[in-house]
Amino acid sequence: MSSNSSSKAARREHFIAVFNTIRDQLVGYVREQHMPAEAVEWYTKNLNYNIPGGKLNRGLSVVDTTEVLKGRSLTEDEYTKAAVLGWCVELLQAFFLVSDDIMDSSITRRSQPCWYRNPEVGMIAINDAFLIESAIYHLLKVYFRDQSYYIDLVDLFHETTFQTEIGQLLDLITAPENSVDLSKFSLERHKQIVIYKTAYYSFYLPVALAMYMCQIPQSYSASAGDGNTLYPYTMARDILIGIGEYFQIQDDFLDYSGTPEQIGKIGTDIVDNKCSWCINKALSLADTPQRAILDENYGRKDPLKEEKVKEVYEQLGLRKIYADYEEGAYKTLSEKIAAIPEVDGVNTLKREVFTSFLNKIYKRTK
């Protein structure tokens, strides 16, 4: 194992140790409510099954960003607080996924049956999703109620949850799996879905949480006496929403172009009627015969029809169009990052927060 892989594994292990602590605290709270053993056991299984099994990128981003903003290694107390915020993001993600899997009638999640697909669970999973979400606010109260930024954390989680749910609504009414209507699709609609359903909670939320914990103010002067005021949360949101949009477009393209060996799964966006960047770009470029092919074949559970859609994508030169998009997105985002003034002081925004996000995804192939 390389030292980089070893370091990554150690970071994950350290982070998961905090999950074990907060899980026990949450279960202890349920037990203190004089719940019977059966309910305590169910809640424990719910948390263990749905929370820690993913890549944990969102949660770890809170810790990494806090460390970058502090400009040093974190103290034990700082690490614990940052990791708790990271696990709150993972709880939010789990709340969305448990619910989303029911809405999409999904079969598996993270290499195991979706929670609701367990025979003893079924639609109890809806209440289990509510319990996962509620755990966020219990943890915020336990760990942050005495902090000056406590209400900012609560507000941010409420606002981000609302934004994500609006995005999910837009996705569900635009592209229901068994009702294909490409007239509802557009690049603008795709952008709205991506920003609200994914970018806010996956990219802006982890960084904004770290910014609050590092007590970065809502505004500060660019430099002494020059009269220019910087708004760090607005700057961060603008860049991170852009990175989130780029990431999702990249994901959509890889679903179409990547091999199962490369991306670890078989792409299903075409047969599942997804409002993907690929179909929206194709619709914006297709001539009348090509549009007819897309209308007749997109969103059908038929590999031959899927192949016809892919043929149109190839005719339109989607690979070159995506490559050009990626270079343009990287250039634009890099310029926005470079425009962040480097201001001396511990409570200021740092470019490294954003370059690390961008460089991780630039030209990724899986």
Side-chain angles (χ1 to χ4, degrees):
M1 183 185 287
S2 70
S3 60
N4 188 44
S5 298
S6 177
S7 170
K8 194 171 180 180
R11 282 174 57 246
R12 184 183 173 94
E13 193 175 322
H14 192 191
F15 187 59
I16 286 177
V18 176
F19 170 74
N20 294 334
T21 299
I22 63 174
R23 177 204 56 214
D24 292 347
Q25 289 172 333
L26 290 167
V27 171
Y29 176 74
V30 171
R31 192 177 281 116
E32 286 165 11
Q33 309 313 304
H34 308 294
M35 289 293 110
E38 182 185 10
V40 175
E41 184 182 342
W42 185 287
Y43 183 60
T44 306
K45 186 177 179 183
N46 176 17
L47 295 176
N48 285 331
Y49 196 96
N50 292 305
I51 315 304
K55 295 175 185 173
L56 308 182
N57 290 336
R58 293 170 181 83
L60 284 164
S61 292
V62 181
V63 177
D64 294 344
T65 302
T66 304
E67 199 160 62
V68 169
L69 292 172
K70 292 282 187 185
R72 56 169 172 77
S73 297
L74 302 180
T75 65
E76 187 176 343
D77 180 63
E78 287 170 342
Y79 180 86
T80 299
K81 281 187 164 60
V84 167
L85 289 176
W87 280 111
C88 285
V89 178
E90 293 294 332
L91 283 160
L92 187 66
Q93 159 85 337
F95 160 57
F96 292 146
L97 296 183
V98 170
S99 308
D100 198 44
D101 287 341
I102 297 170
M103 287 181 259
D104 290 348
S105 303
S106 298
I107 306 298
T108 60
R109 169 72 66 184
R110 296 171 175 172
S111 303
Q112 60 184 359
C114 297
W115 178 239
Y116 84 98
R117 300 276 303 182
N118 286 275
E120 73 279 12
V121 177
M123 290 302 107
I124 298 174
I126 296 171
N127 193 63
D128 289 336
F130 297 159
L131 285 167
I132 291 169
E133 184 196 22
S134 297
I136 295 167
Y137 299 98
H138 179 73
L139 290 170
L140 292 178
K141 184 172 71 173
V142 168
Y143 283 90
F144 297 97
R145 188 159 62 172
D146 62 344
Q147 301 296 315
S148 61
Y149 52 89
Y150 169 59
I151 195 62
D152 294 313
L153 300 179
V154 173
D155 275 351
L156 182 60
F157 270 104
H158 280 309
E159 182 69 12
T160 305
T161 301
F162 195 14
Q163 288 164 329
T164 308
E165 288 164 351
I166 292 170
Q168 172 73 342
L169 170 64
L170 205 53
D171 194 18
L172 290 168
I173 63 177
T174 300
E177 192 170 335
N178 298 313
S179 177
V180 183
D181 181 0
L182 298 187
S183 68
K184 291 183 176 181
F185 286 21
S186 69
L187 285 166
E188 182 56 35
R189 176 62 64 94
H190 175 266
K191 182 186 180 84
Q192 282 183 303
I193 292 170
V194 167
I195 288 173
Y196 282 89
K197 184 179 176 180
T198 302
Y200 274 111
Y201 93 90
S202 298
F203 290 89
Y204 177 64
L205 174 62
V207 172
L209 290 170
M211 289 169 67
Y212 281 125
M213 187 177 150
C214 294
Q215 300 191 57
I216 291 180
Q218 291 293 330
S219 63
Y220 55 81
S221 297
S223 60
D226 71 356
N228 289 330
T229 302
L230 300 178
Y231 298 93
Y233 292 86
T234 302
M235 285 193 297
R237 186 174 64 238
D238 182 40
I239 294 168
L240 291 160
I241 295 303
I243 291 176
E245 186 182 0
Y246 163 38
F247 177 85
Q248 187 60 54
I249 289 173
Q250 189 180 56
D251 217 48
D252 290 352
F253 180 73
L254 287 171
D255 185 274
Y256 150 61
S257 66
T259 64
E261 295 75 26
Q262 179 187 350
I263 62 175
K265 63 177 183 177
I266 297 170
T268 60
D269 283 359
I270 292 173
V271 297
D272 287 346
N273 190 37
K274 294 294 185 183
C275 186
S276 157
W277 177 83
C278 298
I279 183 62
N280 282 294
K281 196 67 186 174
L283 290 170
S284 73
L285 298 169
D287 60 23
T288 302
Q290 289 169 328
R291 173 61 191 248
I293 292 170
L294 295 175
D295 279 324
E296 290 164 15
N297 295 282
Y298 196 79
R300 272 66 170 192
K301 310 289 188 187
D302 180 338
L304 295 177
K305 291 181 182 291
E306 180 185 20
E307 205 51 47
K308 288 181 181 178
V309 173
K310 289 184 176 181
E311 285 170 11
V312 173
Y313 287 178
E314 293 296 333
Q315 291 166 11
L316 294 170
L318 213 58
R319 294 173 190 272
K320 173 69 165 60
I321 292 166
Y322 171 76
D324 291 344
Y325 161 78
E326 180 166 48
E327 291 307 314
Y330 183 79
K331 182 173 182 290
T332 299
L333 289 164
S334 297
E335 287 169 353
K336 286 183 177 181
I337 294 167
I340 298 172
E342 293 285 3
V343 181
D344 291 335
V346 292
N347 300 118
T348 58
L349 203 53
K350 293 180 172 62
R351 295 173 190 167
E352 187 188 339
V353 169
F354 309 101
T355 53
S356 63
F357 271 99
L358 187 56
N359 291 334
K360 278 176 192 171
I361 65 175
Y362 179 52
K363 289 191 180 295
R364 75 183 171 100
T365 57
K366 60 181 180 179

Short mmCIF file of all heavy atoms in Angstrom, two decimals, residues 34 251 289:
data_model
loop_
_atom_site.label_atom_id
_atom_site.label_comp_id
_atom_site.label_asym_id
_atom_site.label_seq_id
_atom_site.Cartn_x
_atom_site.Cartn_y
_atom_site.Cartn_z
N HIS A 34 -36.67 6.07 27.75
CA HIS A 34 -37.37 4.88 28.26
C HIS A 34 -38.02 4.07 27.14
O HIS A 34 -39.07 3.45 27.33
CB HIS A 34 -38.42 5.26 29.32
CG HIS A 34 -37.87 6.11 30.42
ND1 HIS A 34 -36.92 5.65 31.32
CD2 HIS A 34 -38.08 7.41 30.75
CE1 HIS A 34 -36.60 6.61 32.16
NE2 HIS A 34 -37.28 7.70 31.84
N ASP A 251 -20.09 13.59 -14.09
CA ASP A 251 -20.70 12.32 -13.70
C ASP A 251 -21.66 11.82 -14.78
O ASP A 251 -21.66 10.62 -15.11
CB ASP A 251 -21.45 12.52 -12.38
CG ASP A 251 -21.34 11.33 -11.46
OD1 ASP A 251 -20.22 10.83 -11.26
OD2 ASP A 251 -22.38 10.89 -10.94
N PRO A 289 -34.61 14.53 -37.69
CA PRO A 289 -34.55 13.05 -37.62
C PRO A 289 -33.88 12.55 -36.33
O PRO A 289 -34.33 11.56 -35.74
CB PRO A 289 -33.73 12.67 -38.86
CG PRO A 289 -33.85 13.83 -39.78
CD PRO A 289 -33.94 15.03 -38.90
#
